[in-house]
Each structure stands twice: as C-alpha cells, then as structure tokens.
Amino acid sequence: MMAGSGGSAVAGGPALHIPVLGRDAVGFLKPRNGGVYIDGTFGAGGYTSAILAAADCKVIGIDRDQTAIALGADLVEQAAGRLTLVEDRFSNLEAIARDAGYDAVDGVIFDLGVSSMQLDSAERGFSFRLDGPLDMRMSAEGPSAADVVNAASERDLAGIIYTLGEERHSRAVARAIVNARIIAPIATTHELAQVVATVVRPRAGDIHPATRTFQALRIFVNDELGELLAALQAAERILKPGGRLVVVSFHSLEDRIVKIFLTDRGSARPGSRHAPEVRHHAAIFQVLTKRPLTPDEDEVARNPRARSAKLRAAERTEAAARRGVPPRLLPHLPALSSVLKGR
Ligand SMILES: C[S@@+](CC[C@H](N)C(=O)[O-])C[C@H]1O[C@@H](n2cnc3c(N)ncnc32)[C@H](O)[C@@H]1O
C-alpha cells in the first residue's frame, strides 16, 4: 500500500523513534545524486530523511507496519516525488523495486527489529512493561503471540524460547505457560510476564525475567530471521555493481546471519583442478566492516536502545548473484503453521 492511500490513522501517543547509528549507516550507504535507495525498515523515517538530505536521490521506503507507512505521509509530501512508501515485508524488496520501475538499485539499508513507536504502544503487545493484548505482530495480519502461546505444544514452546530467546529456563517457562493456560488462555502481556516471573527469578542488575521469552515470541511470530535471510539474498540480486548494503542489527541471532552471509559472499571460491565440478566464483560483496561498528558511549547514554546495535556494510561487486546460502544459517524450528496445530 502506498502512503496516503488509505492506511489507518495513527493515534498520537508514543514518541517517535530515535534512529540508531543513523549517521554511520547513511555514511556507509553513500547516497549520490541520481541514485535509487531502498530503506527496508522505514519506521519513523529517520534513515530515509537522512538519505534524502544527503543527495538528490530517490528512496523506496518499506515497512510491514501500516501505522509507520501512514505516519510517513508528510515525509512523502515534503519529498516531492523522491520518496515512495510501500506497506510490505522487506523480503519482497526485489518485486517492490521492479513494481516501482527499477531493475537495479544503488543501495539497500536495514535497521532491524521494532521501533520505539511499536514498543511503546501498549495495544501492540510488544512490551512486558505495558499491559495490552498479547499481539506482537508488526503487520496487522497472521497469528499473534497469544495464538502461539495458547496453542503450541510444551515442547515447541520450549524450543522457541530456548532458541530465539536464548533463555536457559526455557523448559520451565514452557511448562508454566501450559499449566497457566489450562485455567484460562493467556491473553495479555502482563499475564504472560507474570507466568514467566513464577519460574525465572530476577537477579540484581539483570534484565527483566520476561525479556528473553518476549524476544523469542516476537521473532517467531514475525519470522524475523527468515525475513532477514531472504532480504539479504534479494539485496544481492537487486544491487548494482558498486551499490551498498548496510545492516544494523540488535541481537546476536541477527548479527550472526548477516556476518556469515557477508563472509560467504565476500570470499571468492576458487575452482579446483582436481574437482572440476567445483566452479570458480568471484566475491559478490566487498565487506567494508571487518568488525561490526557499534555506538559510542554518548549515543548509548542518549538512547539506551542503541546499546546492542551492530552495523555491517558491504559493496556489491560485478559478480553474478549466487544461489543458496551456507548451511544452518537459520535455527531449526517448526513452522508457525505447524506450531499452531499444537502437535
Ligand atoms: C528499528 S525500526 C526502523 C527505524 C528507522 N530506521 C528510523 O530511523 O525511524 C524497524 C522497522 O522495521 C519494520 N520491519 C521489521 N521487520 C520488517 C520486515 N520484515 N519487513 C518490513 N518492515 C519490517 C518494523 O515494522 C519497524 O517499523
């Protein structure tokens, strides 16, 4: 859906998102006059505004959240034909670019995860600090976190919470959820947070006991890791030689995927005289960040949400895009549809 074409209005409320590592991210993207850039995670438009200000270029902004797209309508107007907003998943960025009339683009940028607007809206159900329906969907469609929590088997719940939340008490949390929902379905964020708190004890100076469980459910419900991997491959196909890919991630599971993908695409594969079936592949990206860039203390002090951010960037070479990805890049978990059957 294009901005201004009927997205639901946004009710006042939460403060706008403060862009994390914005200057560095747009610096690595290196916008140039006449270029076309995809901002795959439009959010509050912080990155997009900076790209539009940096050069006389065009931006296609994508977000799966219709409230973000609706909020961007003013920016679309100010940009006077230089910004197109599309409500969609960023894994579809290749088709989105082609629909907008571009077979190739000069840059693709992602600032992963949720925005402050999403996190701070009780009715979106992302935060254990605010009481609201246990939703956690970035878009308005598909099963919610409550659907998963109330239908999944104890085994699947434990697997999701362990793998995507890195929660070592995952089995106990899954059991507590199953015991609680026998009495009544778990419908709100506070209900789930209380259930988790019965088995994960807070330790001094530690994060809230429900943090890991909420993270796991959010990543699972939105298929965030599958989206990321598909989007990296789409960026590989749509970037022009010399085009730039910039990714800001917020937890180790995301950063691992970006790192392994770029390491794989950033290395040439030599052909072999002894195994002629192994073909020579030139590197597809030149990696620009040997180590990920992280925010400095000032940025973290100003914006605590920046504390776990990692930026990686790479420049597309002339080599043809490859198919396939390194094995085990995505964790082994059952599909959302089969989890909902409760096996
Ligand atoms: C951290 S915020 C981006 C903030 C933005 N860079 C800014 O400066 O305002 C992430 C945004 O990406 C969106 N998002 C996350 N995953 C997505 C996906 N797979 N497809 C499209 N949008 C996605 C979220 O809805 C959210 O609005």
Side-chain angles (χ1 to χ4, degrees), residues 17-20 39-48 62-65 68 88-91 111-115 118 138 222 224 227 250:
H17 182 87
I18 305 170
V20 174
D39 179 353
T41 51
F42 177 74
Y47 279 22
T48 287
I62 302 171
D63 206 294
R64 69 198 296 187
D65 186 338
D88 204 335
R89 289 178 289 133
F90 55 50
S91 56
D111 176 19
L112 301 171
V114 278
S115 68
Q118 290 166 328
M138 292 182 190
N222 295 290
E224 291 179 39
E227 274 290 305
F250 288 85

Side-chain angles (χ1 to χ4, degrees), residues 16-271:
L16 275 190
H17 182 87
I18 305 170
V20 174
L21 285 170
R23 187 187 299 213
D24 298 298
V26 175
F28 271 110
L29 193 68
K30 232 167 119 189
R32 59 166 185 83
N33 293 346
V36 177
Y37 299 89
I38 295 181
D39 179 353
T41 51
F42 177 74
Y47 279 22
T48 287
S49 300
I51 298 166
L52 290 169
D56 184 10
C57 58
K58 293 199 167 158
V59 175
I60 302 171
I62 302 171
D63 206 294
R64 69 198 296 187
D65 186 338
Q66 63 183 49
T67 58
I69 298 297
L71 261 181
D74 284 350
L75 194 55
V76 171
E77 210 173 303
Q78 286 162 29
R82 294 205 289 138
L83 171 60
T84 307
L85 289 188
V86 182
E87 181 189 334
D88 204 335
R89 289 178 289 133
F90 55 50
S91 56
N92 291 330
L93 64 86
E94 204 182 353
I96 294 167
R98 290 193 205 287
D99 284 353
Y102 303 106
D103 285 341
V105 301
D106 299 276
V108 177
I109 194 164
F110 301 108
D111 176 19
L112 301 171
V114 278
S115 68
S116 308
M117 291 101 72
Q118 290 166 328
L119 215 50
D120 297 342
S121 300
E123 69 276 12
R124 301 299 299 270
F126 285 107
S127 172
F128 46 77
R129 297 185 197 285
L130 305 170
D131 198 18
L134 188 58
D135 191 323
M136 298 199 201
R137 291 169 302 169
M138 292 182 190
S139 60
E141 55 192 31
S144 67
D147 293 328
V148 172
V149 157
N150 291 303
S153 67
E154 186 176 325
R155 186 159 155 252
D156 282 349
L157 279 172
I160 293 165
I161 294 167
Y162 179 74
T163 308
L164 301 181
E166 300 173 290
E167 169 59 84
R168 58 197 174 95
H169 303 295
S170 57
R171 289 208 182 115
V173 173
R175 175 148 317 151
I177 288 173
V178 169
N179 287 339
R181 76 188 188 196
I182 292 171
I183 301 163
I186 300 173
T188 70
T189 51
H190 273 182
E191 283 169 17
L192 178 61
Q194 276 160 14
V195 170
V196 176
T198 61
V199 287
V200 185
R201 302 275 168 230
R203 282 175 302 181
D206 203 1
I207 55 174
H208 187 285
T211 306
R212 296 188 187 89
T213 298
F214 271 63
Q215 171 184 303
L217 288 168
R218 194 201 85 206
I219 295 174
F220 187 70
V221 163
N222 295 290
D223 186 22
E224 291 179 39
L225 303 183
E227 274 290 305
L228 172 59
L229 184 54
L232 294 173
Q233 294 173 272
E236 171 181 351
R237 292 190 296 269
I238 197 102
L239 276 168
K240 291 177 187 169
R244 296 252 173 125
L245 172 65
V246 181
V247 188
V248 176
S249 65
F250 288 85
H251 55 73
S252 56
L253 296 167
E254 288 170 343
D255 183 56
R256 177 181 171 273
I257 291 174
V258 180
K259 179 180 165 185
I260 296 177
F261 179 82
L262 287 182
T263 304
D264 179 63
R265 285 348 194 215
S267 48
R269 284 192 198 151

